[in-house]
Amino acid sequence: MFPGASLCSLCGAPGAAVGPGGWGWECCSHIPSGGEGGLAVAWQAEVPPTRIMSFLGLGTTAKLQTTLTELGETQAKVLQQESALKELQERVTQGLAEAGRDRENVRTELFRVLEGIKFQNGSCEPCPKSWLTFQGSCYFFSEPPSSWEASLRLCANLSAHLVIIGGLEEQGFLSLHTRGLGYWLGLRAVRHSGKVQSYKWIDGAPLSFSHWNTGEPNDSRRQEDCVMMLHSGLWNDAQCSSKMDGCICEKRRSC
């Protein structure tokens, strides 16, 4: 039990008082005269902000600075890893694209060699009348204008398909026979989320050789999904519903 005088000397005189260093408090006490009842003390303290910072000390500030530094280093490492991952993804994508082109080139060349052997043996049937012959294929230039879908059906009715151009030699041959007209090709755009991502031939093969006109393909109004050959031989993307061009049908010679 604390004597009343000692408690008051700790709290100061009853009422408001100012402690060391500018601390302020209010203290009131009730000290029973006997040994029972204990001690009841109520106090309030107001501590200045500068005193709080002093109480926390420089150690806490140093730890905070160290934590911030470590956080900055971690963020830098994460950014480096993200950059490395993005570069790796780009390399993989490029490698797959190159592998696809190489595969198509090998397939085309092998097919030409096999066809050449068959021709030398004289075992292949000639192309139908009004069809042109080039490297084992027969080509029919249909001049009446029609849509891309209608051209697709026309070629199918002739036991053929819209032309698939495999390289510069075939392109050069076709360019010589346009007769100043435009023709649909068997090439369409592949869209994702409304945007053209790539082009594929009607047999599912990805586009490896192209002969686009300057500024093409431009996907005007995001509606040009089909590809046609201009009279110059250069390619242009156009709306599939357009009925301004004919089409080129192709089929392999029967051997």
Side-chain angles (χ1 to χ4, degrees):
M1 179 180 297
F2 294 93
S6 297
L7 181 62
C8 289
S9 65
L10 289 172
C11 296
V18 178
W23 290 41
W25 61 71
E26 292 181 357
C27 177
C28 61
S29 63
H30 172 68
I31 306 174
S33 57
E36 298 179 357
L39 173 65
V41 177
W43 60 276
Q44 296 176 340
E46 296 179 357
V47 184
T50 54
R51 178 67 66 175
I52 294 176
M53 295 302 294
S54 176
F55 176 75
L56 291 175
L58 296 177
T60 302
T61 303
K63 290 180 180 179
L64 178 59
Q65 184 62 43
T66 300
T67 301
L68 292 175
T69 301
E70 293 176 350
L71 178 60
E73 293 174 351
T74 301
Q75 289 176 333
K77 291 180 180 179
V78 170
L79 291 176
Q80 290 177 353
Q81 292 175 350
E82 289 179 348
S83 177
L85 178 60
K86 183 178 180 180
E87 182 179 354
L88 178 60
Q89 290 175 334
E90 292 176 351
R91 289 181 179 178
V92 170
T93 301
Q94 182 179 0
L96 290 175
E98 292 176 353
R101 288 193 294 269
D102 292 342
R103 182 189 63 187
E104 291 302 317
N105 291 337
V106 170
R107 186 183 72 171
T108 301
E109 187 61 28
L110 179 60
F111 190 84
R112 288 177 178 175
V113 171
L114 293 175
E115 289 297 314
I117 295 174
K118 292 179 180 179
F119 297 151
Q120 290 176 0
N121 294 335
S123 59
C124 295
E125 296 181 1
C127 291
K129 186 178 180 180
S130 72
W131 289 63
L132 302 178
T133 304
F134 181 76
Q135 292 186 346
S137 287
C138 302
Y139 301 88
F140 177 70
F141 287 74
S142 176
E143 297 183 359
S146 61
S147 67
W148 190 88
E149 294 289 347
S151 297
L152 194 68
R153 292 191 295 269
L154 170 66
C155 292
N157 291 335
L158 296 174
S159 299
H161 56 78
L162 280 174
V163 65
I164 297 174
I165 303 176
L168 187 59
E169 292 183 8
E170 186 177 11
Q171 172 65 50
F173 167 78
L174 297 174
S175 298
L176 293 175
H177 298 86
T178 59
R179 295 188 290 273
L181 302 175
Y183 299 90
W184 288 116
L185 307 179
L187 186 64
R188 284 201 64 158
V190 177
R191 290 185 181 271
H192 291 293
S193 301
K195 295 183 179 180
V196 174
Q197 300 297 319
S198 61
Y199 288 86
K200 282 188 176 182
W201 295 103
I202 54 175
D203 65 351
L207 180 64
S208 57
F209 166 81
S210 62
H211 198 55
W212 296 106
N213 190 22
T214 302
E216 302 295 343
N218 60 6
D219 190 24
S220 178
R221 300 181 181 179
R222 294 190 176 184
Q223 296 179 353
E224 297 185 335
D225 285 348
C226 295
V227 180
M228 51 82 61
M229 180 190 296
L230 300 170
H231 64 85
S232 62
L234 296 173
W235 299 0
N236 172 62
D237 60 342
Q239 294 186 27
C240 299
S241 59
S242 172
K243 297 181 180 180
M244 299 178 61
D245 305 293
C247 66
I248 303 175
C249 299
E250 176 187 9
K251 62 181 178 180
R252 304 301 297 181
R253 291 180 61 184
S254 299
C255 298

